[in-house]
Amino acid sequence: MNFKQLENVSEEQMPVAKHKRHGVKHFLGLYAGEHVAATEFVIGATFVALGAKTMDILLGLLIGNILAILSWTLITSPIATQTRLSLYTYLEKIAGKSMTKLYNWANVIIFTVISAAMITVSSTAVRYAFNIPAQLDWYPTNALFVLVVLAVGIVVVFVAMYGFKAVSEFSSICGPWLFVMFGSGALVMMPALADSVLGTTSLSSFGDFITIGDQSIWTGVNAQGEPGIGLLEVIGFAWAANTITHFGLIDMALLRYAKKPIYGLATSSGMLFGHFIAWVSAGIMGAGTAVLVQKSISALDPGDVATQALGLSGFVIVIIAGWTTANANLYRAGLAAQAIFTNYSRKQTTLTVGLVTVVVACFPFVFGQILPLLTYAGLLVVPVGAIVFAEHVIFPKIGFSRYWVSYKKMTHSTPAVASWGIGLVFGFGLNFVNIMPFYYLFLPTWALTIVVYTLLAKAYGAGKAYPAEQAEMEEYDQLVDAFQEQQAKKETPIVEDTSFLSKALSLISWISLAITLALACITMFDSADMTSYLENRDAFYFYGFICTVVYFVAAYTVLRRKKALQA
């Protein structure tokens, strides 16, 4: 193969070139934006409904999210930065096309369900505007709500088909605003909770916060009036919520662009500031809304919670957070489907998957059960991550040949398919007999799959040496490196936007966020009684929404100017 032939090879099939790798700031922003989404409203409220205690929430979420960060850093990031390939490409290299096709089917299912949940969440904000009753059953109980879901869903589908690049660029500016709004919502709701528990709108110590949490938010009693989940369950869910991306190695697609494997620690921006703070804030907002509207938190949906805590800005946050997340996942589902049905374009497969997604989104149980759905989705793909981990990390240490399937030119790897099947039967079997919390099922499933795959691979030829084939692959890799260096010289360097107008607009966007947070702090710390609290809250609603508009106008203008300059 020569340079001319490599020009016809998809960039996705080749390792990430050196000149396209990113520094740590890129990943801090990437994970911050991706892991503050509409699901946080649902998950935060779910912890309240499950009856966790305050200290279990604070400690459990901290420990669980740190474990998730370490999983990315110690498992996903090293493999991604050593191979520079996405999981899809690498899986075909070590397990053949048939395994990759099965895996793509799993991804179609997973991302379809997640997209459907996000469309439903966005629809709860729209239904709030039309005074449609909250949808709390597993099926829709209002025809107008179904029409809202269809309308929101159709927009999501067509944007995923034609305008995903624009949405992904827009999503990049949503992260800072989402952080501020989640934090502000919690600050705005605390005086109402304090008044209902302490008889005063102010908190004098951290002990007051714990008291409010124990009596009004994380009470230790679930929605059925029974003792709720404990510290181990909270840790387990926080860790397991993203198993699909770290133990399951989906995020090889992102971290292959990292200059160093240590950049896996950048996931802390999403886990600690995103999941930890956002889940705690969502629980506070949900409990505060329940107090103000005199309803059980289980009778509220994200639209209720966000608009009560944030006013019109809450309407915006639910729509944007759900919309951007649904688009990203529907785009992934379309890509996975296109890899299966290669005779159809990505737009055609995205449309087909999107129509199914919209139908699923009409059933509210999807977002209501997002916590177990995320865990089971992780359990579905963790065995695949175990297979890749075994081949990439363990095989060289025990004298087995990495890429033995490619060396033997096999399109079907019986060890890989069988190991995945055995892993699934084992994992879901453990769940059926209920011998351990299902949040932790991914750990024994991952370990067993590694052992099974290693034994089966040896029987099928992994234990042999393939010197000629290995030399041929190394020669190809060297050719790719030389080709990418040549291509790098042809590319136009990125021009930074240093104009005064862009700097001024950027400053305005950050000032608007600072004002929003200041207004929330005034509501929290300068409300002497419920009368002044309501006045401060109304001021936050009004001026906070103005700041939201200013932020997005200024930040989006800066983004468009930057894109125009690069073009």
Side-chain angles (χ1 to χ4, degrees):
M1 182 172 283
N2 53 40
F3 282 6
K4 191 69 175 177
Q5 291 171 307
L6 283 176
E7 290 178 358
N8 297 321
V9 177
S10 169
E11 188 174 313
E12 183 65 31
Q13 300 299 314
M14 292 191 288
V16 172
K18 291 181 180 179
H19 66 284
K20 293 190 175 182
R21 297 170 192 175
H22 299 293
V24 69
K25 288 183 180 180
H26 172 84
F27 296 96
L28 287 169
L30 186 68
Y31 279 96
E34 183 172 350
H35 291 282
V36 183
T39 45
E40 301 355 315
F41 282 105
V42 183
I43 294 172
T46 299
F47 280 122
V48 177
L50 288 174
K53 295 180 180 178
T54 305
M55 287 306 298
D56 288 345
I57 282 290
L58 298 179
L59 288 177
L61 291 184
L62 180 63
I63 295 170
N65 282 304
I66 288 175
L67 289 172
I69 293 166
L70 293 176
S71 299
W72 266 299
T73 306
L74 300 178
I75 297 175
T76 315
S77 190
I79 299 176
T81 53
Q82 289 166 24
T83 65
R84 298 294 174 188
L85 296 171
S86 69
L87 177 61
Y88 310 103
T89 303
Y90 194 53
L91 186 62
E92 185 171 334
K93 193 173 181 179
I94 68 172
K97 291 184 177 180
S98 60
M99 175 71 173
T100 305
K101 184 168 286 191
L102 286 172
Y103 186 70
N104 280 325
W105 269 115
N107 276 276
V108 170
I109 295 170
I110 291 168
F111 292 129
T112 294
V113 172
I114 295 175
S115 299
M118 295 301 97
I119 291 172
T120 310
V121 169
S122 286
S123 299
T124 64
V126 180
R127 74 96 193 150
Y128 193 89
F130 289 98
N131 201 29
I132 300 171
Q135 302 297 292
L136 303 172
D137 292 315
W138 69 269
Y139 55 89
T141 57
N142 186 284
L144 189 55
F145 176 77
V146 174
L147 293 178
V148 167
V149 172
L150 293 176
V152 172
I154 288 171
V155 172
V156 169
V157 171
F158 278 93
V159 170
M161 288 172 62
Y162 296 103
F164 177 73
K165 184 177 180 181
V167 173
S168 63
E169 292 170 353
F170 178 70
S171 298
S172 67
I173 67 177
C174 294
W177 179 78
L178 287 168
F179 278 140
V180 169
M181 297 315 293
F182 268 99
S184 296
L187 291 172
V188 168
M189 280 300 177
M190 279 307 297
L193 285 169
D195 184 70
S196 69
V197 175
L198 305 176
T200 175
T201 54
S202 60
L203 281 70
S204 59
S205 66
F206 182 70
D208 285 347
F209 174 77
I210 298 298
T211 300
I212 292 170
D214 287 340
Q215 295 187 27
S216 187
I217 309 173
W218 304 286
T219 61
V221 178
N222 65 22
Q224 290 74 42
E226 301 170 349
I229 61 174
L231 177 64
L232 286 178
E233 286 84 0
V234 177
I235 292 172
F237 174 72
W239 191 9
N242 290 104
T243 46
I244 185 175
T245 54
H246 48 71
F247 268 77
L249 298 180
I250 287 287
D251 270 4
M252 281 179 64
L254 301 179
L255 291 169
R256 61 185 167 143
Y257 288 95
K259 289 181 178 179
K260 300 177 182 178
I262 196 66
Y263 291 175
L265 290 174
T267 56
S268 58
S269 66
M271 294 301 99
L272 299 182
F273 292 97
H275 285 186
F276 180 66
I277 292 177
W279 288 348
V280 170
S281 296
I284 294 172
M285 286 189 277
T289 299
V291 167
L292 290 174
V293 302
Q294 297 296 301
K295 288 184 179 180
S296 166
I297 194 169
S298 60
L300 303 172
D301 64 21
D304 293 314
V305 174
T307 50
Q308 192 69 39
L310 301 168
L312 286 176
S313 295
F315 181 81
V316 177
I317 194 175
V318 175
I319 292 178
I320 286 182
W323 182 45
T324 54
T325 308
N327 271 295
N329 285 293
L330 186 56
Y331 180 77
R332 288 168 176 162
L335 281 176
Q338 198 272 330
I340 299 169
F341 302 101
T342 55
N343 292 330
Y344 296 89
S345 69
R346 197 231 3 128
K347 289 181 180 179
Q348 289 173 315
T349 56
T350 302
L351 175 60
T352 303
V353 172
L355 293 176
V356 175
T357 300
V358 173
V359 173
V360 175
C362 292
F363 294 85
F365 83 92
V366 180
F367 87 83
Q369 297 298 316
I370 193 67
L371 189 150
L373 283 174
L374 288 174
T375 305
Y376 289 132
L379 190 60
L380 185 64
V381 301
V382 156
V384 178
I387 291 167
V388 175
F389 181 86
E391 178 116 7
H392 186 85
V393 178
I394 296 176
F395 279 20
K397 297 181 185 298
I398 60 176
F400 285 14
S401 292
R402 191 190 287 168
Y403 313 132
W404 63 278
V405 168
S406 291
Y407 293 159
K408 296 183 70 172
K409 294 180 171 52
M410 297 167 58
T411 58
H412 174 78
S413 172
T414 299
V417 174
S419 299
W420 190 11
I422 292 170
L424 290 178
V425 171
F426 177 75
F428 285 98
L430 285 179
N431 181 61
F432 180 76
V433 298
N434 196 29
I435 63 173
M436 65 186 300
F438 77 94
Y439 306 118
Y440 291 98
L441 294 177
F442 72 94
L443 289 172
T445 301
W446 187 72
L448 177 79
T449 306
I450 288 175
V451 174
V452 171
Y453 179 67
T454 301
L455 295 175
L456 289 178
K458 181 180 180 182
Y460 277 77
K464 298 178 182 178
Y466 302 87
E469 291 82 357
Q470 183 177 351
E472 183 180 345
M473 183 175 288
E474 289 174 354
E475 183 180 345
Y476 172 77
D477 291 340
Q478 291 171 2
L479 181 67
V480 169
D481 286 341
F483 172 75
Q484 290 177 334
E485 287 180 11
Q486 183 192 70
Q487 296 297 107
K489 295 175 182 177
K490 297 179 181 179
E491 293 190 10
T492 304
I494 296 175
V495 180
E496 296 293 333
D497 182 3
T498 58
S499 65
F500 173 79
L501 179 58
S502 292
K503 288 182 177 179
L505 288 171
S506 181
L507 180 61
I508 289 171
S509 66
W510 287 106
I511 290 174
S512 67
L513 293 181
I515 292 173
T516 301
L517 195 56
L519 290 168
C521 289
I522 290 171
T523 306
M524 166 75 179
F525 299 107
D526 194 37
S527 296
D529 51 38
M530 283 302 292
T531 300
S532 62
Y533 163 68
L534 293 175
E535 291 175 353
N536 289 333
R537 190 191 66 173
D538 289 344
F540 170 81
Y541 283 174
F542 180 75
Y543 293 108
F545 181 66
I546 291 175
C547 287
T548 288
V549 173
V550 170
Y551 173 79
F552 279 109
V553 170
Y556 188 69
T557 303
V558 171
L559 176 65
R560 297 314 302 165
R561 286 174 58 82
K562 178 181 177 181
K563 296 298 294 182
L565 186 62
Q566 291 177 4

